[in-house]
Amino acid sequence: MSITVIWDWANSASVNSTSTIADLQKLSQHYRHPDSARVAYPHTVQAPLGKLPEGTHRVAIVGAGAAGICAFYELSQLAKGLPDGSKIVVDLYDSDPDHFLVPPPNKDIDTQNRRAGRVSAARVSTGDTERTVYEVGAMRFPEIAGLTWHYASKAFNPTETVKVFPNPGKVPTEFVFGNRVDRYKDEDWLDSDSPTRRVQQLVFKYFPGSLKNDSSLFKIGKRDPAAVATLLKAESTDGDTLDGIYKDWQAFIAEHDHTTLAGAIRKIMTHVSDNPGEEDEDRLPDIPGLDAQGTIDYCVELFGRFGFGTGGFKPLYNISLVEMMRLVLWNYSNEYTLPVEENVEFIKKLHEKAMSEGAGKLVANFINGRVSDAYHFMPADSSSARKAKLWHYTNTSSELREKDYDYVLLAMPQDQLTPLIRRSGYSPSGIENTQVGDARLQLGTDTATQVYPALQLSRSDTAPTERIVSAINQLHMTRSSKVFGLISQADSSNGSVPTFRGAPIQAVVSDSGLAASYIVPSSIAGQEYSSFLASYTWEDDSTRLQQDYARYPQNSSGDEGPQSAWYMFQTMINRVDHDVQDPAAEPGTYKRWWFGALLDKVQNDNRFVYDWTTNRSAGGFKLDMTGDHHLSNLCFRYHTHAANPALNNRFFLACDSYSHLGGWLEGAFMSAINAVAGVVVAANGGNVMKLDPKAQPLFDTLAHIAPTR
């Protein structure tokens, strides 16, 4: 999931093929994010987040994806510290019938029991012989992702080795843009003077810049982003420096929250055009037939398709520069695969670990159903304590059921969450009677009494509560799609596939509409087939392919006509059937692009299409558009309401959508830690000191979302 921004290709080229989970855990444990520069999140979970008071704590987690299961694991760590006779009772809600906690049936393309939110897989088989796995979500894991490797060390043996993911640029890659055809791997290019390479180097120089702080047009304070990135991940960076980075980052946000990525790239190209350097590489490429302005436009569009080498940035040109800079500061060189056949095993094993470590003080129930309403409840006579209440339907019944809890963690993407939190209204004094349930869907309904907003941030005014609900409702969810097929390794490496430096091309980035295409070796040992990710698209690229998708979420074989899987796939790949300039021949030599013939080798059976926008998760991943920082930042620090016991707000947010790293497991885990830390503080009457000292910065160094008293 999400986008790959690898700009430090010099380090990227040196890959340690024997890295273990423990190696990556050590490498990534000190990284801080600029929005929480005093917090190295892996440090906060070296011990349980804090201590809960004695007694029984009833907690609901709505959404059993990465964030929900991480929160469940951290609750299990809290349970271990409870005195005898005390416990935590957790209800895990998830409406997905394919969730790993639901027993699976057998299918040729099997998705059941292989999903945990947007972490999902499809196991493909032919007859009784299993062939490979399509990683629908969470297929690659950055080396800098400290929380990811921390939890991976809990779920797996830390000494297990991991493999470098075959990203474009990591394997022999072909890039096609108009008449431009390039082949490259790491920093080795077939055409060392390629305009594509020149544009890439210009963006590297003037966007992240250097450690010398002498080139970036988008400095954070007085530092180039490259220098800031180095400080953020260094163990030795002192507190005063981190405080300075945080202050400079706030100024950067104020200056650039209105700037788009497209605006930043155009500024770079215009700057280079207006200020040509003496060095050969510090100039725009010469594009015959174009004047100065046309060359700038060409270079902006070229980077839009090439990105940092893995493609797909044009559909993100309207994303905020602030959001893109977060990904630049999250500086990493490689992405890895987990030592499993399908990545949902990560989340599944983390759940199992939580169950085993609950020390007999953790009780868990799984409810395969959909929550329709969430609100606070307080009896009119105040005869009992304020509670968080949920109403839900199970997947086997339209009957509406209610349950109350001490605390609820809402671990759902924004588009799924919004209906739950808007239904109860905004009245700070509560609503005496209201209808609950999905009456418009002709499902069972009921009447609730003494209803207060779920995300209540004021007991006297509506605006603070309206603001957080509006923020969640307006977060930008990026559309994303994947199209998979099965291909034999013999077909993907035969003589018809061109080679680069003696190895067959294994990745293609192009302007054909498919965006990025990958050959991913099977995670099942000894298999002769590979997973062919024929198309991985975002935003407008996904929209342009939508008309070709015959069915959601998967296309079965055996259908006929224009709605068949075969017709869908052929219509989609028909876009690549055109002549291109042969990069290995004399200039002006054209031939039919070889990629179409390779796509024809994809097996008719076992094709699989998944588009997150039209499926249950309602989108691929959160990325802020211009002006969105104040929305996402409210969500990121929402847990701090717990420091105000007068609010008695018993709901918390947990999902990568409510972090500043939307789209990665890292963001999901960060938000889960925030939420569970909030539960600790709330259960202790707002006392932040009940958190472990290393977790206290989650409250002490972030601006509180509501006054503490």
Side-chain angles (χ1 to χ4, degrees):
M1 295 185 289
S2 195
I3 60 176
T4 295
V5 180
I6 302 177
W7 52 267
D8 193 358
W9 282 89
N11 290 331
S12 168
S14 56
V15 176
N16 184 354
S17 59
T18 61
S19 292
T20 66
I21 290 173
D23 292 334
L24 297 177
Q25 184 184 8
K26 182 178 180 180
L27 179 151
S28 60
Q29 64 178 314
H30 303 298
Y31 181 76
R32 303 93 166 172
H33 299 267
D35 298 274
S36 49
R38 277 283 200 163
V39 184
Y41 268 84
H43 292 186
T44 67
V45 288
Q46 294 304 311
L49 286 165
K51 292 186 179 296
L52 293 174
E54 65 178 351
T56 297
H57 304 273
R58 301 187 181 278
V59 180
I61 301 175
V62 185
I69 298 302
C70 175
F72 180 63
Y73 176 82
E74 290 303 329
L75 288 172
S76 77
Q77 303 307 293
L78 296 179
K80 293 194 294 187
L82 287 171
D84 291 342
S86 297
K87 60 184 177 181
I88 303 177
V89 180
V90 181
D91 284 349
L92 274 169
Y93 290 84
D94 201 289
S95 62
D96 190 350
D98 289 348
H99 195 274
F100 70 80
L101 291 172
V102 180
N106 293 318
K107 289 184 177 180
D108 285 347
I109 301 181
D110 182 7
T111 60
Q112 297 236 351
N113 200 229
R114 308 189 189 285
R115 292 171 55 91
R118 282 170 285 173
V119 180
S120 58
R123 184 175 284 265
V124 183
S125 61
T126 302
D128 296 328
T129 305
E130 291 182 341
R131 298 296 190 187
T132 193
V133 171
Y134 301 152
E135 290 295 358
V136 184
M139 66 181 180
R140 56 196 180 189
F141 305 89
E143 65 183 7
I144 197 64
L147 284 176
T148 299
W149 300 114
H150 167 80
Y151 288 115
S153 73
K154 306 298 181 183
F156 307 110
N157 185 334
T159 64
E160 291 194 71
T161 59
V162 292
K163 296 179 180 179
V164 176
F165 184 84
N167 267 323
K170 283 294 179 191
V171 294
T173 303
E174 182 162 289
F175 172 67
V176 175
F177 176 76
N179 199 45
R180 184 76 234 162
V181 180
D182 286 299
R183 291 173 186 164
Y184 60 97
K185 180 180 183 294
D186 296 323
E187 292 193 289
D188 184 13
W189 287 63
L190 182 65
D191 178 4
S192 61
D193 196 37
S194 164
T196 309
R197 188 181 193 187
R198 179 76 56 81
V199 167
Q200 179 198 44
Q201 291 172 337
L202 290 172
V203 172
F204 285 4
K205 179 175 181 178
Y206 290 106
F207 195 165
S210 71
L211 298 180
K212 298 178 182 179
N213 299 312
D214 61 358
S215 60
S216 177
L217 300 180
F218 307 100
K219 293 184 184 298
I220 300 171
K222 296 181 179 180
R223 297 185 179 97
D224 281 10
V228 175
T230 300
L231 291 170
L232 284 172
K233 68 179 180 180
E235 179 182 7
S236 60
T237 306
D238 61 75
D240 289 344
T241 301
L242 292 170
D243 288 342
I245 289 173
Y246 179 78
K247 181 179 179 180
D248 292 340
W249 178 243
Q250 300 311 304
F252 183 90
I253 292 169
E255 181 179 0
H256 289 297
D257 192 30
H258 64 280
T259 305
T260 64
L261 175 62
I265 300 304
R266 184 166 292 277
K267 181 176 180 178
I268 290 171
M269 299 307 156
T270 302
H271 170 83
V272 174
S273 178
D274 292 343
N275 301 278
E278 295 182 3
E279 298 180 11
D280 182 64
E281 66 270 13
D282 198 19
R283 60 177 176 80
L284 292 182
D286 180 26
I287 309 297
L290 296 181
D291 61 13
Q293 185 59 53
T295 299
I296 291 173
D297 295 341
Y298 180 93
C299 292
V300 170
E301 294 305 311
L302 188 153
F303 181 81
R305 186 50 55 196
F306 184 73
F308 286 93
T310 55
F313 274 60
K314 177 60 187 294
L316 304 178
Y317 262 5
N318 60 348
I319 298 300
S320 162
L321 175 61
V322 172
E323 187 80 315
M324 299 307 300
M325 186 61 78
R326 289 188 178 106
L327 293 169
V328 167
L329 293 176
W330 201 36
N331 180 26
Y332 62 93
S333 300
N334 300 299
E335 292 174 310
Y336 292 87
T337 61
L338 295 175
V340 288
E341 292 185 356
E342 54 197 25
N343 290 333
V344 73
E345 286 291 316
F346 180 12
I347 309 303
K348 188 174 182 179
K349 287 181 180 294
L350 193 60
H351 173 267
E352 293 170 354
K353 189 76 169 179
M355 294 292 289
S356 68
E357 292 196 355
K361 299 172 184 176
L362 177 72
V363 179
N365 307 297
F366 176 66
I367 300 173
N368 193 206
R370 181 176 58 83
V371 174
S372 64
D373 296 79
Y375 59 87
H376 284 106
F377 166 74
M378 172 74 85
D381 60 4
S382 298
S383 60
S384 61
R386 179 175 167 107
K387 296 288 185 182
K389 190 177 287 288
L390 299 177
W391 292 78
H392 74 278
Y393 304 97
T394 68
N395 281 5
T396 58
S397 172
S398 61
E399 176 188 354
L400 190 61
R401 305 177 184 184
E402 67 171 308
K403 295 194 75 172
D404 58 19
Y405 299 94
D406 298 314
Y407 302 100
V408 172
L409 279 61
L410 297 167
M412 312 161 67
Q414 62 269 35
D415 292 344
Q416 290 181 331
L417 178 59
T418 297
L420 277 66
I421 57 178
R422 296 186 67 176
R423 189 111 64 166
S424 58
Y426 304 100
S427 172
S429 58
I431 299 173
E432 185 174 351
N433 292 289
T434 189
Q435 179 179 284
V436 291
D438 296 318
R440 297 295 184 274
L441 302 179
Q442 299 183 345
L443 298 175
T445 61
D446 209 327
T447 300
T449 60
Q450 302 304 320
V451 172
Y452 294 79
L455 306 185
Q456 191 167 8
L457 290 179
S458 173
R459 304 299 288 272
S460 59
D461 302 300
T462 62
T465 301
E466 292 176 70
R467 192 170 175 228
I468 186 63
V469 174
S470 176
I472 293 169
N473 189 42
Q474 294 183 76
L475 289 174
H476 174 247
M477 181 65 89
T478 299
R479 181 171 186 178
S480 186
S481 308
K482 286 182 177 180
V483 179
F484 288 97
L486 198 65
I487 192 167
S488 72
Q489 293 173 17
D491 284 336
S492 64
S493 60
N494 67 22
S496 65
V497 178
T499 61
F500 179 66
R501 304 301 187 241
I505 298 292
Q506 294 290 286
V508 172
V509 177
S510 74
D511 59 0
S512 67
L514 303 186
S517 304
Y518 308 69
I519 302 291
V520 184
S522 176
S523 56
I524 302 174
Q527 296 300 307
E528 61 184 41
Y529 287 84
S530 295
S531 168
F532 194 171
L533 180 50
S535 177
Y536 185 16
T537 55
W538 309 317
E539 293 290 76
D540 282 351
D541 283 346
S542 293
T543 302
R544 293 186 183 101
L545 286 177
Q546 184 177 8
Q547 61 182 334
D548 299 334
Y549 297 158
R551 284 182 180 78
Y552 297 96
Q554 66 189 57
N555 299 283
S556 59
S557 59
D559 296 338
E560 297 180 357
Q563 293 299 309
S564 69
W566 176 88
Y567 192 87
M568 179 280 296
F569 192 78
Q570 294 305 124
T571 302
M572 183 187 70
I573 68 174
N574 192 49
R575 302 162 187 262
V576 310
D577 192 24
H578 63 280
D579 289 336
V580 298
Q581 188 167 233
D582 187 348
E586 291 294 321
T589 303
Y590 286 82
K591 62 194 302 186
R592 187 65 50 164
W593 192 20
W594 63 271
F595 192 46
L598 181 64
L599 288 166
D600 280 335
K601 301 288 180 60
V602 174
Q603 292 192 354
N604 286 328
D605 296 339
N606 302 322
R607 289 171 182 162
F608 183 88
V609 175
Y610 200 89
D611 180 280
W612 279 273
T613 310
T614 53
N615 281 275
R616 297 180 186 89
S617 63
F621 44 90
K622 188 274 296 183
L623 284 178
D624 290 346
M625 301 179 75
T626 52
D628 281 356
H629 168 75
H630 68 287
L631 304 177
S632 62
N633 200 47
L634 280 176
C635 298
F636 172 69
R637 55 192 177 89
Y638 180 73
H639 64 286
T640 61
H641 71 69
N644 184 346
L647 278 177
N648 207 0
N649 185 344
R650 293 172 174 266
F651 286 86
F652 296 88
L653 301 176
C655 177
D656 63 350
S657 291
Y658 317 126
S659 80
H660 289 303
L661 271 180
W664 291 105
L665 288 185
E666 197 73 2
F669 293 154
M670 288 168 62
S671 69
I673 291 168
N674 286 352
V676 176
V679 169
V680 173
V681 173
N684 285 286
N687 187 354
V688 175
M689 300 304 291
K690 291 296 182 179
L691 288 171
D692 182 83
K694 290 185 177 180
Q696 290 173 18
L698 297 173
F699 278 78
D700 293 342
T701 66
L702 297 177
H704 287 197
I705 196 169
T708 55
R709 289 291 186 272

